[in-house]
Amino acid sequence: MLGIRFDKVMPVLTGASLLSIWTLDFVNLQPNRILPGVGYSLQDAVGWWSMIIVTTLLISAFLLSFSRLSLRRWLQLFIVTLLLVLMPISLSSFAQNHIPETLTHARTGLGSAFWLVFFLLVLMLIELQQKLELSRSIYCFIFSFPLISTVFIYLMGGLDTLAILREYGARSDQFHQAVHIHIALVGGAVITSILLAACLVAMMRKSTTAQKIIFPLLNFIQTIPSLALFGLLIAPLGYIASKSEWLQAMNVSGIGWAPAMIALIAYSLLPMVRNTFVALEEVSESVIEAAKGMGMSPAQVFIQVRLPLAMPVILEGIRITTIQAIGLTAVAALIGAGGLGNFIFQGLGQAAMDMVLLGALPILLLAIIADLFFSSVMTFFNQHTKQSGATKS
Amino acid sequence: MGKQETIARIWGIPLLWLSCLIIATFSFPYFEEIFRQIEPNQRQVIYSRDSFFTLLLNHLSLVGIAATISILLGVSSAIFVTRPFGKDFLPLVSQIASMGQTFPPIAVLALSVPLLGFGALPTILALSLYGLLPIVRNTLAGIQGVDAAVIESARGMGMSSFQVLRQVELPLASTVILSGIRTSVTINIATAAIGSTIGASTLGDPVISGLVNGNTAYVIQGAILIGLLALSTDSLLDRLQLRLSARR
Amino acid sequence: MNLNTMIELQNISKYYDQVSAVDSIDLKINKGEFCVLVGTSGCGKSTTLRMINRLIPHSAGKILIEDQEINSFNEQTLRRRIGYAIQNTGLFPHWSVEKNIGTVPRLLKWPEKRIQERVIELLELLNLPYAEFAHKYPSELSGGQAQRVGVARALAGDPDILLMDEPFGALDPITRESLQNELLRIQQQIHKTIVFVTHDMDEALKLANHIVVMDQGKIIQQASPYELLLNPASDFVSQLLGGEDRGLKQAGLMRVGEYMVVASSTHINDLDIKNLDIKNVETNKLATKPLASVSTHDSLRFALSVMLWHQCELLTVVDDQQQPVGYISLQQIMQAKPHG
């Protein structure tokens, strides 16, 4: 007798979504930036019919988990995507119903139900992707639907009352500048540390003494919390800058971009050096032996064999470094480096949550984009090395 | 004699950092002259809104509570998804644990404010949530890394599932789990310092206050203490890890 | 109901998603028997073994141990009564040899002192000096030593039954042979009921007194080693037995002691070829004096090999103390009939 087992994940996730839709606020409405908002449930915000549609969809996804249909996961995937597409539409519908055009300062805040359901839907998507073993491209294709719906509604003006967009509207120049500075700092730090790491790794491959000095030193720096390292650079850098006119001309001082850059590079070196060194060291000796045996010169062995084989792990190092730098740059705003962290700390200072979001969400987005970018490059490299390995053997 | 020597060799570095931390905590007021050199124009050069010791204790308890929550929750959820009744959740949980590392801790901290407000509580929540991920990931890796033959023979000899977990899986995974805890605590000490900006009292206070008021002396005092705290904790956990793996 | 039966499988099957891995097999294993399940990989022998200690639940049929259905026991209680040793030893890397061996006794809540005595006893039984090995960790052992510890651990709770899943499969030929000999020696002392899985027919012939040949989830033939060699039930079985090598394999099962001519030592030393009933010796120009000796425990196959090597037709047979006790000739080997 074979007992039929049902997967418990989707029922739990859909059940939790149902619960939050029915018990928590979906959106809230602030008359202006300062006054506290009033919460609306989905039913009050968009109408009872929307509640029926969402509930029906969630219950069907819930029940599908217990069916024996072979297509059940694909149907669930369809429902989840549909719900994600509906989310921005619901916001626009709320704005139409509840915010008269005259209230130019009124803003729609996203309620806890909105965030929770969004989070749970993303989890469902990840879960279904894993169980259906979807490839990255199909996954991106599915994600494009909610994205297109959001962009479409945004262009139609349906999201104009959204708090974060009102905040953006008020300081769009500042925002664009902050994004530029943020990316410039991250990019500068990552590129410099790639170059520096290459030199350090070259030294370490030559001498074990260098290994014994460089690894503990970089580990030591990595251990020191960012706030402390930024703080400790202020005094010495300020002192040096005050003595050198050339540095002053470069706008270097104890606060600002210079200490931020130094600290970012110092932090970036460890993951970069560690991954590069380990990757190069761990290329299988037999492959190197074979390359030498076929008469390759040491330079050829390095460029044609060792480096390509080490590339995926080196790229992983660059990925870690970049993501880490995106977060650390936000902290660097505290020492006047600018960037998106400015909005976070200014927002916190003024208790303006929308401004905090205007800083934090783009940082999150930048990190996710960097992660996606490097992992697709890595997948490409992995496939490449596998293929070439297969054809050679 | 010999025993004392080995204690010094094993615990020497953590003890060194720890004593630096304690000395620094209590002795900054005695170095007023030096700090005055740095900030000759400030009326006050020693941070005094709270004693450094209070700040250190606050910082430690914040990280301690958050770490306790993350360890309990992280290890038990990793155990849950590796048991037969929870294995449906394994792919999702391991995916979240690896993806969550993408989120910068500062963003998580900032996002916790709109949801939870200012103060120590949202900081603790943000810290324990973020600190959960490396622990879940490493516990999963540790448990899944135990040789299948070892588990099979443990079951074959008549150990109950709980005995297999308690006597075989967890001890064998312990080094990897501890390294996850180390990562988590290191990140949390750094993030807790930034918690000052959302109203938690930590060693970040002097730094933030110094940056806001342009008082570099405050910044240095806070930064030195934060740095020493991180170094002592990290080297302590590093030694623990060494001890644990040396027993193999 | 047979008082002699230790394990009985009645119509046992195991299905994975409707596909059968083991297909309605019946098997009786007697007390003190050394039963070897042999077959190619994927034939269901390992699955059958693991169903006995319920590491794999059976899908249909009944398994009885001393006439009690195994599902009537608590799973853990059952396993603590059955020793279990596997190919990759499964030794706990974080425990010393002593602690590893003491696992089941500790699970059975024996007093500390008794556990230690048991460990000492077992290490001695397996030729691992306590002082040298008790406090080592598995990573410090050689493959052979680790497998000895694995066997000791399986025996620690003094189980009536010992299940062994290709325990010597990963060892080099020399270590494997010495461990096989040791297992035979130990079995002579302890008389457990052993169920042993292997894909190596030579190992099966050497160890078993009951061989079960399996293929595609079914039992093809079960017999004593001699019977199997004399009457293989199918081409598959004779292929497993190695075809034309069967004669040598059979000789490998027969002991010199059982076929030699007993003679007093003085007689052998003055042995004259004329007193022996051997023909054509002089014309063959082979050495007619016994040039080499074999022990009573050696196999006829070994004796034959010694004769080929020394180019002689006659060997002295010596006992454990290296004292001559008789002789054996080529003709006697040729005419020897198995009486297994």
Side-chain angles (χ1 to χ4, degrees):
Chain A
M1 287 290 285
L2 295 168
I4 305 285
R5 275 195 70 266
F6 296 105
D7 202 308
K8 302 179 204 105
V9 182
M10 281 303 283
V12 168
L13 294 177
T14 45
S17 313
L18 270 173
L19 200 71
S20 41
I21 280 282
W22 279 91
T23 54
L24 299 171
D25 285 344
F26 190 68
V27 287
N28 54 60
L29 183 60
Q30 281 176 282
N32 59 42
R33 191 172 175 220
I34 310 299
L35 286 175
V38 186
Y40 287 81
S41 70
L42 177 63
Q43 191 175 347
D44 298 334
V46 195
W48 56 268
W49 54 271
S50 65
M51 193 60 139
I52 292 179
I53 292 176
V54 172
T55 309
T56 318
L57 285 174
L58 283 173
I59 288 182
S60 347
F62 180 86
L63 292 178
L64 273 170
S65 320
F66 302 102
S67 85
R68 289 161 80 176
L69 264 145
S70 53
L71 276 177
R72 65 180 193 281
R73 289 215 166 99
W74 288 102
L75 287 172
Q76 286 176 326
L77 188 65
F78 175 75
I79 292 176
V80 172
T81 318
L82 185 63
L83 282 168
L84 279 170
V85 168
L86 288 177
M87 290 189 85
I89 300 178
S90 70
L91 290 178
S92 132
S93 156
F94 169 74
Q96 269 179 358
N97 293 336
H98 294 268
I99 307 178
E101 300 262 334
T102 47
L103 275 179
T104 46
H105 291 289
R107 4 176 107 200
T108 314
L110 304 176
S112 35
F114 188 96
W115 285 118
L116 256 178
V117 171
F118 176 71
F119 178 64
L120 289 166
L121 286 172
V122 172
L123 288 191
M124 288 183 218
L125 221 51
I126 295 171
E127 161 70 9
L128 290 168
Q129 179 233 350
Q130 300 248 320
K131 297 268 159 86
L132 283 167
E133 290 169 11
L134 299 181
S135 72
R136 185 180 285 272
S137 44
I138 297 182
Y139 196 43
C140 290
F141 175 70
I142 289 166
F143 245 114
S144 70
F145 287 101
L147 209 66
I148 290 169
S149 121
T150 313
V151 171
F152 184 71
I153 300 287
Y154 169 72
L155 292 177
M156 300 274 290
L159 300 178
D160 287 353
T161 65
L162 212 58
I164 189 169
L165 287 178
R166 288 259 152 127
E167 197 69 38
Y168 166 75
R171 49 191 93 238
S172 58
D173 288 347
Q174 237 179 314
F175 180 79
H176 291 149
Q177 202 191 358
V179 173
H180 280 152
I181 293 176
H182 208 103
I183 292 175
L185 280 171
V186 172
V190 171
I191 290 167
T192 318
S193 61
I194 290 175
L195 298 176
L196 266 177
C199 302
L200 288 179
V201 169
M203 275 164 67
M204 286 161 71
R205 286 175 55 77
K206 284 259 155 58
S207 93
T208 45
T209 337
Q211 288 174 36
K212 277 183 197 139
I213 298 168
I214 291 169
F215 263 136
L217 185 70
L218 294 180
N219 260 318
F220 175 82
I221 295 171
Q222 193 81 24
T223 313
I224 297 178
S226 50
L227 193 62
L229 190 59
F230 286 133
L232 288 173
L233 282 173
I234 293 178
L237 212 63
Y239 178 77
I240 296 169
S242 69
K243 299 283 172 205
S244 151
E245 282 185 18
W246 179 72
L247 283 176
Q248 275 165 12
M250 289 273 290
N251 212 3
V252 169
S253 72
I255 57 167
W257 69 269
M261 199 58 151
I262 293 175
L264 283 176
I265 293 169
Y267 281 124
S268 300
L269 279 175
L270 178 71
M272 205 81 96
V273 167
R274 187 184 47 203
N275 277 46
T276 311
F277 183 73
V278 171
L280 290 174
E281 286 294 294
E282 283 191 348
V283 171
S284 137
E285 273 312 307
S286 58
V287 175
I288 301 297
E289 197 103 310
K292 278 183 199 160
M294 285 182 287
M296 285 192 186
S297 71
Q300 284 169 326
V301 171
F302 187 82
I303 289 167
Q304 296 183 25
V305 181
R306 203 184 272 277
L307 195 61
L309 285 176
M311 213 52 199
V313 182
I314 297 178
L315 279 170
E316 168 70 7
I318 301 179
R319 186 186 74 94
I320 297 172
T321 305
T322 312
I323 289 168
Q324 182 183 274
I326 289 171
L328 288 173
T329 305
V331 182
L334 280 173
I335 55 163
L340 288 163
N342 258 349
F343 291 119
I344 294 182
F345 295 116
Q346 272 179 36
L348 289 173
Q350 302 167 12
M353 288 312 123
D354 299 333
M355 199 162 155
V356 175
L357 287 184
L358 190 63
L361 289 179
I363 289 173
L364 213 60
L365 213 63
L366 277 181
I368 292 172
I369 290 171
D371 181 52
L372 280 178
F373 173 74
F374 283 110
S375 34
S376 18
V377 174
M378 264 152 62
T379 338
F380 170 76
F381 254 98
N382 276 333
Q383 278 169 359
H384 185 68
T385 40
K386 256 179 221 153
Q387 272 168 13
S388 57
T391 43
K392 266 176 200 162
S393 64
Chain B
M1 270 300 274
K3 200 167 185 184
Q4 275 170 358
E5 272 165 27
T6 51
I7 287 174
R9 213 186 39 182
I10 294 168
W11 302 107
I13 295 167
L15 281 176
L16 185 73
W17 289 124
L18 210 60
S19 39
C20 285
L21 174 66
I22 292 166
I23 292 169
T25 308
F26 291 104
S27 67
F28 278 149
Y30 303 106
F31 291 104
E32 198 171 339
E33 282 314 305
I34 296 174
F35 287 116
R36 179 137 333 263
Q37 303 259 309
I38 298 168
E39 285 290 347
N41 305 323
Q42 292 281 350
R43 202 162 50 83
Q44 222 185 351
V45 290
I46 302 294
Y47 184 81
S48 57
R49 199 172 306 152
D50 286 299
S51 78
F52 292 114
F53 185 61
T54 317
L55 293 175
L56 176 65
L57 281 188
N58 287 345
H59 200 119
L60 274 178
S61 48
L62 217 61
V63 174
I65 294 169
T68 314
I69 297 173
S70 333
I71 291 168
L72 289 179
L73 224 62
V75 173
S76 50
S77 57
I79 290 172
F80 170 75
V81 298
T82 46
R83 300 306 103 185
F85 44 84
K87 74 168 192 306
D88 288 349
F89 291 87
L90 178 62
L92 184 66
V93 168
S94 58
Q95 184 74 7
I96 296 173
S98 63
M99 277 192 354
Q101 308 272 308
T102 313
F103 299 174
I106 170 77
V108 176
L109 193 69
L111 287 175
S112 73
V113 180
L115 296 174
L116 303 159
F118 284 90
L121 203 68
T123 312
I124 289 178
L125 252 143
L127 292 187
S128 35
L129 209 65
Y130 195 80
L132 205 62
L133 301 172
I135 296 178
V136 171
R137 200 179 54 164
N138 279 38
T139 311
L140 278 180
I143 290 179
Q144 289 173 331
V146 177
D147 185 359
V150 169
I151 308 258
E152 177 173 322
S153 67
R155 298 209 307 132
M157 278 186 292
M159 285 194 186
S160 66
S161 327
F162 181 72
Q163 284 167 326
V164 176
L165 176 70
R166 177 69 198 71
Q167 299 186 28
V168 181
E169 287 175 281
L170 285 184
L172 284 175
S174 59
T175 344
V176 187
I177 297 177
L178 193 63
S179 108
I181 292 175
R182 182 177 166 196
T183 314
S184 161
V185 169
T186 309
I187 296 173
N188 276 354
I189 287 178
T191 315
I194 306 169
S196 285
T197 58
I198 69 165
S201 156
T202 70
L203 286 174
D205 285 6
V207 181
I208 302 294
S209 155
L211 286 171
V212 172
N213 303 315
N215 190 333
T216 312
Y218 286 3
V219 176
I220 293 174
Q221 288 152 24
I224 288 178
L225 291 182
I226 296 169
L228 286 174
L229 176 60
L231 289 169
S232 342
T233 326
D234 188 68
S235 57
L236 205 67
L237 289 170
D238 176 56
R239 289 295 134 160
L240 266 178
Q241 219 176 321
L242 271 181
R243 288 306 303 269
L244 214 57
S245 49
R247 279 209 247 130
R248 293 292 142 72
Chain C
M1 288 275 276
N2 185 344
L3 284 176
N4 252 335
T5 308
M6 190 65 173
I7 306 169
E8 185 168 2
L9 277 64
Q10 297 178 347
N11 206 14
I12 282 294
S13 298
K14 174 69 196 175
Y15 306 111
Y16 290 109
D17 295 330
Q18 323 286 345
V19 181
S20 65
V22 172
D23 193 3
S24 45
I25 63 171
D26 289 292
L27 181 62
K28 269 188 191 175
I29 300 167
N30 289 334
K31 281 187 183 140
E33 200 167 68
F34 199 134
C35 172
V36 175
L37 309 181
V38 66
T40 51
S41 50
C43 71
K45 54 191 195 302
S46 257
T47 312
T48 308
L49 185 84
R50 288 172 199 201
M51 285 193 285
I52 297 174
N53 67 356
R54 286 179 59 190
L55 276 175
I56 296 176
H58 49 275
S59 313
K62 260 187 185 174
I63 299 179
L64 306 176
I65 287 182
E66 291 189 300
D67 282 328
Q68 295 206 53
E69 160 66 24
I70 55 166
N71 285 336
S72 69
F73 297 101
N74 168 294
E75 197 177 59
Q76 273 97 46
T77 322
L78 174 81
R79 290 182 192 152
R80 287 170 198 174
R81 283 185 48 196
I82 301 178
Y84 185 53
I86 56 178
Q87 176 169 2
N88 295 321
T89 74
L91 290 181
F92 303 135
H94 57 311
W95 286 356
S96 66
V97 165
E98 175 158 25
K99 201 169 177 196
N100 260 295
I101 296 177
T103 308
V104 176
R106 263 197 315 282
L107 289 170
L108 294 169
K109 306 221 158 48
W110 288 13
E112 244 350 280
K113 194 162 177 294
R114 188 173 158 209
I115 297 177
Q116 202 194 4
E117 284 166 5
R118 181 69 181 153
V119 172
I120 296 171
E121 183 188 339
L122 283 166
L123 281 173
E124 200 172 306
L125 184 70
L126 282 141
N127 286 333
L128 299 166
Y130 179 86
E132 189 185 338
F133 286 97
H135 303 295
K136 281 195 170 172
Y137 283 85
S139 58
E140 300 165 304
L141 301 175
S142 71
Q145 290 164 347
Q147 202 48 263
R148 276 161 210 255
V149 176
V151 173
R153 188 173 69 165
L155 288 170
D158 206 4
D160 299 322
I161 299 171
L162 192 56
L163 304 181
M164 308 182 91
D165 192 352
E166 302 210 23
F168 309 142
L171 302 173
D172 65 84
I174 292 171
T175 315
R176 189 185 314 152
E177 195 181 336
S178 83
L179 271 169
Q180 286 165 350
N181 291 337
E182 224 152 306
L183 185 60
L184 279 174
R185 172 179 64 77
I186 291 167
Q187 171 65 351
Q188 276 174 6
Q189 291 179 36
I190 59 178
H191 302 294
K192 305 284 181 197
T193 307
I194 301 178
V195 188
F196 188 107
V197 161
T198 184
H199 59 256
D200 176 0
M201 186 52 102
D202 287 323
E203 188 170 61
L205 289 170
K206 177 166 185 182
L207 296 175
N209 41 38
H210 178 183
I211 294 185
V212 178
V213 183
M214 290 186 69
D215 188 34
Q216 298 181 350
K218 291 192 161 115
I219 294 180
I220 304 295
Q221 185 177 13
Q222 47 176 321
S224 73
Y226 287 113
E227 240 177 270
L228 201 69
L229 280 165
L230 287 177
N231 308 306
S234 66
D235 285 352
F236 175 74
V237 179
S238 52
Q239 220 174 7
L240 269 184
L241 286 167
E244 297 304 312
D245 272 356
R246 266 159 58 196
L248 279 176
K249 288 204 164 122
Q250 186 174 318
L253 293 175
M254 299 190 275
R255 303 290 134 207
V256 169
E258 293 166 27
Y259 298 93
M260 67 179 188
V261 176
V262 181
S264 74
S265 55
T266 44
H267 184 197
I268 298 167
N269 284 337
D270 311 330
L271 203 62
D272 184 10
I273 199 67
K274 301 240 159 59
N275 295 340
L276 294 171
D277 188 18
I278 299 172
K279 286 153 192 134
N280 304 328
V281 169
E282 276 158 319
T283 51
N284 270 351
K285 290 184 189 163
L286 286 169
T288 51
K289 289 275 180 192
L291 286 180
S293 62
V294 289
S295 143
T296 49
H297 303 303
D298 287 329
S299 66
L300 293 189
R301 179 181 178 156
F302 180 74
L304 199 58
S305 169
V306 174
M307 286 179 185
L308 280 170
W309 186 251
H310 291 279
Q311 303 219 316
C312 67
E313 292 190 3
L314 195 61
L315 296 172
T316 316
V317 180
V318 295
D319 64 5
D320 290 342
Q321 282 76 45
Q322 298 299 316
Q323 291 304 311
V325 288
Y327 56 85
I328 190 157
S329 67
L330 180 62
Q331 199 172 8
Q332 279 157 338
I333 294 178
M334 299 304 287
Q335 288 167 352
K337 289 262 176 348
H339 42 64

